[in-house]
Amino acid sequence: MLSDELKAQIRDSFIALKSDMSDFNVRPSQNKMIAEISKTLCGDYPDSNKILCVEAPTGTGKTFAYLLSGIAIAKANKKKLIVSSANVALQEQLLLKDIPEAQKYCQVDFEYALVKGRSRYVCIRNLINLCEDSATDSTLFDSSLLFDEPPGKYQLEEMAELLEDYSAKKWNGEIDDLMRTPDHTIWQKINCNRFTCTAKSCEFYQDCAFFKARKQITKADVIVANHDLVLADLATGNTVLPDVDDSIFIFDEAHHLSSKALSHFSLSTGTEFIKTSIRQAKGVSDQMCKLTEQDLPDINIKQIDDYLSDLSTLLKTLDFDEDIYLFDQGMVDQPIKDISKNLFISISNIQNKFCALRESWTDYLKIKVIDKSIGDPINTASGECEQHLSSIVELLSSFLKSDDSTQSPHSRWIEKNTLANKKTNYSLYSAQTDISGNLDALIWSKATGVILTSATLSSLGSFDRLNKQLGLKKPENQYLRLPSPFEFDQVDFIIAKFKSNPTQVFEHTKEVASQLLKRLNAQEGSLVLFASNKQMQMVADMVESKLDCDLFIQGEYPKKTILEKHMTLRKQGQGSIIFGLDSFAEGVDLKGDNLTHVVIVKLRFSVPTSPIDKTLADYLQSQNRNPFMEISLPDASLRLIQACGRLIRTETDTGKITIFDNRLTTKFYGKQLLAALPGYNIVVE
């Protein structure tokens, strides 16, 4: 229960914030959010989990609501507070502005830190070995086992500079702090990796960038992360973040959590990757066996090559659709399954032998001193081999499995592509279409408490879509939809009179161009949101020369640059128009006169184009369910609200929204979409 002492701490923190922050506005919805977070995390709802979903519209002050209440509750219960965002912009805002600000007002002292994944840090041992080996031109270790193509002279000079800067403490070992980042293939060889890391056994442990950062995290009370890192860490054993059981999670921008999770719980491998991985495993095994004077394990490269050749011959006969062959309902065709089984048995056997050999190698190093220039590269290469073999076996295992007929199936597919060496490569994929069980096992059932929040969290006025995506059970959790602090009834939401509807692509595109020329004010700040890049480019070609102000089209400059140029023009009193796609429909904060007109070219219905989406849609249809009603329509509602949300960012903002999609008035679902909008003044032309 929420104790009187804890209640007073949270209240006093909020009073300090109100009285001292210069631009603070009293918001009843912020008070409500603080109260509900406090009650949920302190167990004031005895029959529910400590999980709260909060839809907090722009202007609510949700960041301070969850920081001031969450920090106090976490400290009182000796737990860590993990604040996770979906993008870098919010992460930077939390680190550079919001959390330092919260420290001024919070009635309890706390430390905070940013957490990053292992791969963002250099492994100083690997960097030293790379530089030393190149300097001495050592032939003791076959470097082809580490590199498909050895690094060039320029790359080695670049690595030597990095080592010098790290030794002189000019560089902290994080890739994000480099002005110029190394080539991806080189960085992969020198970054931290859980398969190659020897942790406390490493002679550089005390000087390791990753473990130094880990020590900072253990001291921190508040940890800033992102959804990708949280999911990756929990899916691979929870080795970077504090234990889930000892943590309270706040997922800001929680509407992105489902799509992020789908990508994390997927598997892949490729025919060429299998070939090179088996050869690398054999080469590393040769090196270890020579040194330990053991018999070489039987790694039959020819057998694997023959199986892969049979597989490629079979795959050539398939009917690929845009280089993708999707298995119906995730059921792998039997001939492909048969070859996959042969590969699985052979590679699993190699994996078992290799892991046993690596174990004996580790034991050997405990009793025998080996030249570092040999031992360290073998350790790194053997760790890589284990990682690669494990990922191959895991994918093949999934291809052989039968899914539970009572649940949504895995999506399994093959992609065809041509490599730089002109070889045809086939990539094999397996992904879950429903990750709700994973999230429950990793987070919901374990965490001390969870807050999921976003400006747009519900769809069509309910949390049903979110619950299905994330595996949240309505009776067991708390839900809160807060009202907006803004007066939306002063904003016109204009459904333009259009002859064509968006399904008539050519006619609609021409009409969009002519309507924009009539409706856009060349003296104002406008944002036009498209659902299709092709349509955006076509419309831009038709109107750009006829506009009396600057037009910025997504893709011509980075998003940040476009927004800066747009705001500079507005400060000078000049008109400016932005044409953008999905990424401009959220996370864009153009206040006041910077934006007074948002034009939405058409509703953004999600068409099942990805293999995962197609598999799920087919499954729902096989169950006599309607994918449009269950997925496309709720998602379109959420996206429409997000797009409209670009206009009003403060209490004093004004403007209008225009949509060029007559389906809002002609289709049965139009009323549902309009009813779910905040209280705009709907104008039907």
Side-chain angles (χ1 to χ4, degrees):
M1 295 291 283
L2 186 60
S3 68
D4 289 340
E5 183 185 356
L6 191 49
K7 200 183 289 183
Q9 280 182 348
I10 297 169
R11 185 182 61 243
D12 291 347
S13 299
F14 189 54
I15 289 169
L17 174 78
K18 276 200 296 188
S19 58
D20 192 57
M21 187 180 269
S22 57
D23 56 349
F24 183 86
N25 292 312
V26 176
R27 304 175 179 101
S29 52
Q30 188 179 42
N31 287 333
K32 178 69 173 169
M33 185 171 175
I34 291 172
E36 287 302 311
I37 289 174
S38 303
K39 287 179 192 174
T40 302
L41 295 181
C42 291
D44 281 16
Y45 297 108
D47 295 328
S48 71
N49 294 328
K50 293 181 180 179
I51 298 175
L52 170 66
C53 300
V54 188
E55 183 169 86
T58 302
T60 302
K62 65 182 168 72
T63 308
F64 284 109
Y66 65 62
L67 286 176
L68 295 183
S69 51
I71 291 166
I73 292 166
K75 285 280 284 185
N77 291 282
K78 297 181 179 173
K79 304 295 181 185
K80 301 284 188 180
L81 185 71
I82 299 172
V83 182
S84 177
S85 67
N87 63 45
V88 175
L90 180 54
Q91 211 172 27
E92 287 178 350
Q93 184 181 315
L94 282 162
L95 275 170
L96 304 176
K97 183 184 174 201
D98 295 338
I99 295 179
E101 194 81 14
Q103 269 188 324
K104 297 180 193 173
Y105 310 114
C106 196
Q107 300 302 296
V108 292
D109 293 330
F110 68 91
E111 298 296 320
Y112 64 94
L114 171 67
V115 65
K116 298 179 183 180
R118 279 178 188 265
S119 63
R120 311 305 295 172
Y121 298 91
V122 73
C123 169
I124 191 63
R125 183 193 67 205
N126 288 350
L127 180 58
I128 288 171
N129 288 334
L130 179 65
C131 293
E132 286 185 351
D133 287 351
S134 63
T136 58
D137 194 27
S138 171
T139 56
L140 294 171
F141 176 75
D142 181 4
S143 63
S144 67
L145 298 175
L146 275 174
F147 297 98
D148 295 332
E149 190 177 321
K153 184 184 175 187
Y154 168 73
Q155 291 171 318
L156 290 170
E157 287 172 354
E158 192 179 29
M159 294 306 101
E161 280 180 36
L162 289 184
L163 179 57
E164 194 176 312
D165 286 347
Y166 189 84
S167 302
K169 301 196 185 312
K170 292 179 183 176
W171 176 49
N172 63 4
E174 296 179 29
I175 191 172
D176 303 300
D177 285 355
L178 291 173
M179 291 291 288
R180 187 176 66 249
T181 56
D183 182 82
H184 177 66
T185 54
I186 296 290
W187 181 256
Q188 276 188 314
K189 302 300 178 184
I190 63 167
N191 68 3
C192 281
N193 180 315
R194 68 190 178 94
F195 283 90
T196 61
C197 179
T198 55
K200 291 182 181 178
S201 302
C202 178
E203 62 187 299
F204 300 105
Y205 175 74
Q206 296 299 333
D207 194 38
C208 173
F210 171 68
F211 284 105
K212 278 181 182 175
R214 278 286 302 277
K215 284 171 191 169
Q216 288 297 112
I217 293 163
T218 58
K219 294 175 190 173
D221 305 294
V222 179
I223 295 161
V224 179
N226 60 55
H227 300 348
D228 284 314
L229 185 143
V230 171
L231 292 162
D233 183 51
L234 300 189
T236 53
N238 197 188
T239 58
V240 176
L241 293 167
D243 288 345
V244 178
D245 312 56
D246 293 325
S247 304
I248 293 171
F249 287 86
I250 294 174
F251 290 103
D252 203 339
E253 300 174 312
H255 62 283
H256 285 296
L257 196 56
S258 173
S259 59
K260 298 277 187 187
L262 279 169
S263 66
H264 278 279
F265 297 110
S266 62
L267 308 167
S268 66
T269 192
T271 50
E272 291 302 307
F273 178 74
I274 294 173
K275 283 180 188 176
T276 55
S277 297
I278 296 300
R279 282 164 171 75
Q280 185 189 29
K282 189 175 190 316
V284 175
S285 298
D286 285 343
Q287 299 260 340
M288 289 193 285
C289 287
K290 280 177 191 172
L291 290 162
T292 57
E293 298 179 346
Q294 293 183 72
D295 291 333
L296 187 66
D298 179 28
I299 296 179
N300 192 336
I301 289 177
K302 184 180 183 307
Q303 184 187 55
I304 303 295
D305 283 350
D306 287 345
Y307 288 147
L308 290 171
S309 177
D310 292 343
L311 181 62
S312 295
T313 301
L314 188 58
L315 297 182
K316 282 176 187 173
T317 66
L318 298 180
D319 186 16
F320 282 81
D321 181 9
E322 294 185 356
D323 291 334
I324 292 176
Y325 181 81
L326 177 64
F327 296 108
D328 184 31
Q329 289 294 280
M331 294 172 65
V332 178
D333 301 348
Q334 194 58 48
I336 296 172
K337 210 170 188 177
D338 291 340
I339 298 175
S340 298
K341 187 176 181 181
N342 291 336
L343 281 166
F344 173 75
I345 292 168
S346 297
I347 298 173
S348 293
N349 190 29
I350 292 169
Q351 182 193 25
N352 292 335
K353 289 175 182 175
F354 187 84
C355 289
L357 179 59
R358 193 180 182 212
E359 217 169 281
S360 69
W361 165 255
T362 304
D363 292 339
Y364 180 79
L365 292 180
K366 291 174 184 174
I367 56 172
K368 192 87 172 176
V369 177
I370 285 198
D371 192 305
K372 269 176 82 284
S373 64
I374 304 173
D376 282 352
I378 287 178
N379 286 334
T380 300
S382 64
E384 268 192 16
C385 286
E386 188 177 329
Q387 181 182 11
H388 294 167
L389 292 172
S390 175
S391 69
I392 294 166
V393 167
E394 203 175 353
L395 181 281
L396 292 170
S397 172
S398 177
F399 260 46
L400 299 175
K401 279 180 184 170
S402 297
D403 295 323
D404 185 340
S405 59
T406 64
Q407 295 180 349
S408 172
H410 279 61
S411 181
R412 297 181 179 91
W413 71 96
I414 294 171
E415 289 186 17
K416 179 173 62 174
N417 65 301
T418 305
L419 302 179
N421 58 12
K422 303 293 173 68
K423 286 185 180 178
T424 299
N425 176 60
Y426 293 98
S427 297
L428 285 61
Y429 292 89
S430 175
Q432 293 174 229
T433 54
D434 179 0
I435 41 75
S436 58
N438 304 65
L439 294 175
D440 183 56
L442 294 174
I443 308 174
W444 315 143
S445 63
K446 287 184 177 179
T448 301
V450 181
I451 307 299
L452 298 114
T453 188
S454 174
T456 45
L457 208 55
S458 64
S459 305
L460 296 173
S462 89
F463 289 97
D464 290 349
R465 175 77 173 129
L466 183 80
N467 288 337
K468 284 177 186 172
Q469 287 178 311
L470 301 183
L472 298 170
K473 299 177 179 71
K474 194 169 184 180
E476 297 175 9
N477 310 305
Q478 299 304 309
Y479 298 87
L480 178 64
R481 289 185 74 205
L482 294 167
S484 173
F486 305 146
E487 298 292 330
F488 286 122
D489 57 356
Q490 300 302 308
V491 176
D492 286 344
F493 180 91
I494 302 163
I495 304 170
K497 186 177 181 181
F498 252 58
K499 292 176 184 173
S500 56
N501 74 51
T503 59
Q504 300 165 294
V505 180
F506 178 72
E507 294 84 355
H508 186 256
T509 301
K510 280 178 63 180
E511 198 170 355
V512 166
S514 73
Q515 290 272 12
L516 284 175
L517 290 171
K518 293 174 190 173
R519 293 174 185 268
L520 292 177
N521 186 330
Q523 307 303 313
E524 294 180 350
S526 302
L527 171 63
V528 184
L529 295 169
F530 291 82
S532 151
N533 181 55
K534 186 178 179 182
Q535 187 178 40
M536 179 176 75
Q537 300 298 339
M538 288 172 69
V539 172
D541 288 343
M542 293 180 201
V543 305
E544 190 165 17
S545 62
K546 299 173 185 175
L547 292 170
D548 293 328
C549 64
D550 283 323
L551 171 64
F552 299 107
I553 303 158
Q554 183 173 342
E556 289 185 343
Y557 300 102
K559 180 180 177 181
K560 188 177 179 182
T561 305
I562 287 177
L563 294 173
E564 286 171 353
K565 285 176 175 288
H566 175 86
M567 286 190 281
T568 300
L569 286 170
R570 294 304 298 133
K571 275 181 189 171
Q572 295 167 356
Q574 297 179 49
S576 175
I577 298 165
I578 297 172
F579 278 13
L581 299 164
D582 278 9
S583 62
F584 275 82
E586 62 174 307
V588 170
D589 195 24
L590 295 169
K591 297 183 178 75
D593 287 343
N594 285 316
L595 182 59
T596 52
H597 192 183
V598 171
V599 179
I600 300 165
V601 169
K602 68 176 183 178
L603 295 166
R604 291 184 293 154
F605 286 109
S606 54
V607 179
T609 51
S610 77
I612 297 174
D613 291 340
K614 283 181 180 176
T615 303
L616 181 56
D618 289 346
Y619 169 73
L620 292 176
Q621 285 179 328
S622 74
Q623 301 294 304
N624 294 318
R625 290 159 63 184
N626 189 330
F628 178 80
M629 295 302 291
E630 287 194 36
I631 299 172
S632 299
L633 187 58
D635 288 358
S637 172
L638 188 139
R639 288 171 181 153
L640 179 60
I641 294 167
Q642 282 173 339
C644 293
R646 296 317 95 215
L647 183 66
I648 305 298
R649 310 300 295 172
T650 70
E651 283 88 344
T652 56
D653 286 355
T654 58
K656 63 184 175 183
I657 300 162
T658 307
I659 186 163
F660 293 162
D661 195 326
N662 57 20
R663 290 175 295 182
L664 279 171
T665 56
T666 61
K667 296 293 183 182
F668 71 93
Y669 51 75
K671 287 181 180 177
Q672 287 176 269
L673 293 172
L674 292 174
L677 292 173
Y680 299 124
N681 177 40
I682 308 293
V683 178
V684 181
E685 290 185 341

